[in-house]
């Protein structure tokens, strides 16, 4: 049930990113999901989400997946060194990931967008943390 | 340790798959497979695009059935308005004699990603026509006789149009008084008419049109397509060039249908 709801949120974020908003919400969601669960299933989700995003944005297939997987892997490497289930880490990792993603994508207002994306990721992290005990959906 | 090994294995497996897909997707035979998946995604993209452009009001929560009926009627009204808008766009376009309607391909906008939807100026459109409809990279995109931008990426069933206000957009243009210059997009959705000598006379309100950059394949901007009108001129005594700002006659945020120029006669 939990994985299904995550897939649903990711699918919605992919379509929003393709049709409406340039904020890297898919990347931020993946980072939050991984930080919360530390589950290798998130790699599979990152792969699928990246493919869907590339299809919807007429991009080179596989490039978003490679980026998402690399970001998640870097977080995985830091797991042993830092406590990653904190707001500070969520904010910092989302900010850095978004910054590089937007820079490579050639978008405008990179700093501001990364800041907004990091705040959004922190809010999602807060919501998931609060509600994960109350419901099996997150 | 086993968990860590599993993580490494999962990561490298998917990374390898992604890299493989990245290289295989560049092959020409793969575009047909890609088109199948894109066709499956397109209806969802169109639905999301329509939904975010016409938000519905669900404030009435007292009567559940009445709320649903209102929502359904609002959707019908929104669809009706969209249809009227599309028909109006088609009718307007085909009343214009230049460019000729025979070389125009109508395309619906199915994606307008931007930083602050409704606030930021868009820099790209995703349209529902692609290579199988005859769209190629560098094809010009217009509404009536006004420039929207150029196609910069294509797949079999979709394409990306980079709007002329994007910083990567650059082409030559000329004013009504035959002053030649270069139109560039700048950050924030603005357009600058550059490389105008201070000695050359331009005036506010003057219309700027494309000079034309058709290549040997017949792809590019046709001449005399409207770029915009001059809204400000910044001349300094010591500077060789004057800074001229343009404003497009179109509101890119409100477009739903555009036309790709797929020919040159």
């Amino acid at each position: 049930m939990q994985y299904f709801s995550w897939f649903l949120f990711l699918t919605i974020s992919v379509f929003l990113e393709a049709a409406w908003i340039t904020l890297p919400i898919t990347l931020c969601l993946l980072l939050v999901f991984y930080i919360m669960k530390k589950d290798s299933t998130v790699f599979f989700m990152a792969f699928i989400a990246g493919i869907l995003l590339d299809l919807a944005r007429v991009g080179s297939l596989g490039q978003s997946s490679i980026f998402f997987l690399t970001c998640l892997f870097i977080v995985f490497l830091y797991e042993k060194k830092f406590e990653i289930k904190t707001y500070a880490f969520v904010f910092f990792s989302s900010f850095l990931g978004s910054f590089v993603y937007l820079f490579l994508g050639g978008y405008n207002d990179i700093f501001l967008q990364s800041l907004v994306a990091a705040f959004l990721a922190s809010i999602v992290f807060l919501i998931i943390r609060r509600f994960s005990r109350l419901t099996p959906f997150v | 340790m086993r968990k860590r090994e599993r993580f490494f294995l999962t990561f490298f497996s998917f990374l390898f798959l992604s890299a493989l897909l990245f290289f295989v997707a560049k092959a020409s035979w793969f575009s047909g497979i890609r088109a199948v998946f894109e066709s499956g995604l397109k209806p969802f993209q169109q639905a999301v695009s329509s939904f975010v452009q016409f938000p519905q009001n669900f404030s009435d929560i007292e009567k559940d059935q009445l709320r649903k009926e209102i929502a359904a009627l609002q959707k019908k009204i929104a669809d009706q308005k969209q249809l009227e808008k599309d028909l109006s766009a088609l009718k307007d376009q085909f009343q214009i004699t230049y460019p000729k309607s025979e070389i125009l391909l109508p395309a619906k906008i199915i994606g307008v990603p931007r930083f602050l939807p409704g606030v930021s100026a868009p820099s790209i459109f995703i349209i529902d026509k692609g290579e199988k409809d005859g769209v190629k990279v560098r094809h010009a995109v217009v509404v009536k006789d006004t420039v929207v931008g150029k196609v910069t990426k294509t797949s079999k069933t979709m394409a990306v149009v980079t709007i002329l206000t994007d910083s990567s957009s650059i082409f030559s243009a000329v004013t009504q008084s035959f002053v030649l210059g270069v139109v560039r997009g700048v950050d924030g959705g603005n357009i600058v008419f550059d490389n105008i000598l201070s000695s050359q006379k331009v005036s506010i309100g003057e219309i700027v049109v494309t000079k034309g950059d058709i290549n040997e394949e017949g792809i590019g901007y046709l001449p005399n397509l409207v770029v915009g009108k001059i809204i400000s001129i910044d001349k300094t005594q010591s500077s060789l060039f004057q800074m001229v700002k343009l404003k497009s006659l179109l509101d890119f945020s409100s477009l739903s249908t555009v036309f790709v120029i797929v020919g040159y006669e």
Side-chain angles (χ1 to χ4, degrees):
Chain A
M1 184 59 84
Q2 196 176 60
Y3 293 127
F4 174 75
S5 59
W6 285 3
F7 256 117
L8 190 63
F9 291 137
L10 273 175
T11 310
I12 293 168
S13 73
V14 162
F15 285 116
L16 284 177
E17 229 180 291
W20 193 51
I21 201 165
T22 55
L23 286 177
I25 44 180
T26 309
L27 173 66
C28 293
L29 274 180
L30 284 166
L31 284 170
V32 169
F33 288 161
Y34 181 77
I35 287 167
M36 286 300 300
K37 274 289 166 183
K38 293 176 197 171
D39 193 331
S40 54
T41 314
V42 185
F43 289 134
F44 172 66
M45 291 186 196
F47 174 72
I48 298 295
I51 299 297
L52 284 176
L53 202 53
D54 290 333
L55 278 173
R57 291 201 299 202
V58 199
S60 301
L61 266 189
Q63 64 180 13
S64 295
S65 300
I66 291 171
F67 186 84
F68 292 160
L69 287 166
T70 309
C71 282
L72 291 174
F73 188 67
I74 292 170
V75 171
F76 163 67
L77 292 176
Y78 270 94
E79 237 184 299
K80 290 283 181 189
K81 294 183 170 47
F82 299 107
E83 172 56 46
I84 64 170
K85 221 167 172 176
T86 61
Y87 291 102
F89 188 86
V90 168
F91 185 90
F92 195 65
S93 58
S94 306
F95 179 81
L96 268 182
S98 302
F99 193 92
V100 175
Y101 184 78
L102 292 166
F103 177 76
L104 292 174
Y107 292 97
N108 299 326
D109 300 316
I110 297 172
F111 183 80
L112 195 56
Q113 289 201 62
S114 306
L115 211 57
V116 172
F119 271 116
L120 273 174
S122 306
I123 290 166
V124 170
F125 180 67
L126 167 76
I127 291 169
I128 293 178
R129 249 189 138 168
R130 285 277 163 90
F131 289 102
S132 60
R133 288 183 207 123
L134 299 172
T135 165
F137 291 102
V138 287
Chain B
M1 200 59 178
R2 281 176 71 184
K3 187 187 175 187
R4 206 168 163 81
E5 279 167 7
R6 199 174 67 236
F7 265 62
F8 272 107
L9 186 65
T10 314
F11 166 70
F12 282 113
S13 304
F14 284 116
L15 188 69
F16 172 74
L17 268 173
S18 303
L20 185 68
L21 201 56
F22 182 76
F23 291 109
V24 165
K26 294 197 184 300
S28 53
W29 56 265
F30 193 83
S31 55
I33 299 170
R34 182 177 176 141
V36 170
F37 287 101
E38 279 176 356
S39 305
L41 272 184
K42 247 205 289 191
F44 296 103
Q45 250 179 301
Q46 281 170 339
V48 170
S49 193
S50 304
F51 179 75
V52 296
Q53 281 176 33
F54 299 103
Q56 296 176 27
N57 186 1
F58 293 103
S59 61
D60 185 359
I61 55 170
E62 283 185 31
K63 302 271 179 177
D64 204 48
Q65 196 177 354
L66 197 57
R67 183 167 52 106
K68 283 179 187 170
E69 278 177 28
I70 290 169
L73 282 168
Q74 281 178 332
K75 178 75 175 64
K76 269 191 182 169
I77 291 168
D79 288 344
Q80 181 73 18
K81 280 189 178 158
Q82 182 65 36
L83 197 60
E84 280 172 12
K85 209 174 165 186
D86 290 346
L87 283 170
S88 173
L90 284 166
K91 194 177 151 199
D92 286 347
Q93 185 68 45
F94 294 119
Q95 279 176 349
I96 302 286
T97 54
Y98 181 81
K100 287 185 191 166
S101 55
E102 291 85 15
I103 59 170
L104 294 174
L105 176 72
K108 272 189 82 108
I109 296 171
I110 57 172
V112 190
R114 45 194 148 158
F115 175 22
L116 293 169
V119 176
S120 314
S123 60
I124 62 162
F125 289 143
I126 300 173
I127 59 174
D128 68 345
K129 294 286 191 295
E131 287 163 7
K132 71 171 178 56
D133 305 293
V135 177
K136 292 181 186 170
V137 172
R138 286 199 70 230
H139 267 152
V141 178
V142 298
V143 168
K144 296 185 190 178
D145 57 351
T146 306
V147 172
V148 171
K150 265 189 183 171
V151 174
T152 46
K153 275 193 227 175
T154 58
S155 68
K156 269 266 189 273
T157 59
M158 297 195 286
V160 174
V161 176
T162 299
I163 300 171
L164 82 167
T165 53
D166 186 74
S167 50
S168 61
S169 170
I170 183 163
F171 56 93
S172 52
V174 67
T175 66
Q176 289 170 300
S177 48
F178 305 108
V179 172
L180 187 61
V182 170
V183 172
R184 283 188 300 112
V186 292
D187 283 349
N190 298 310
I191 315 166
V192 157
F193 192 37
D194 222 346
N195 291 11
I196 312 289
L197 291 171
S198 290
S199 55
Q200 289 176 304
K201 194 155 168 50
V202 289
S203 44
I204 290 179
E206 213 174 342
I207 298 291
V208 174
V209 297
T210 54
K211 188 163 181 314
D213 61 2
I214 300 282
N215 64 11
E216 60 278 1
E217 291 171 49
I219 296 173
Y221 285 126
L222 294 174
N224 299 318
L225 292 172
V226 175
V227 177
K229 66 178 180 190
I230 295 175
I231 55 166
S232 77
I233 303 167
D234 189 10
K235 249 189 224 188
T236 48
Q237 289 280 350
S238 53
S239 179
L240 184 62
F241 297 107
Q242 50 188 317
M243 171 74 90
V244 177
K245 279 192 185 161
L246 303 180
K247 185 177 158 63
S248 175
L249 304 182
L250 296 171
D251 176 12
F252 296 116
S253 311
S254 64
L255 294 178
S256 61
T257 305
V258 294
F259 297 85
V260 184
I261 300 178
V262 293
Y264 60 94
E265 290 187 281

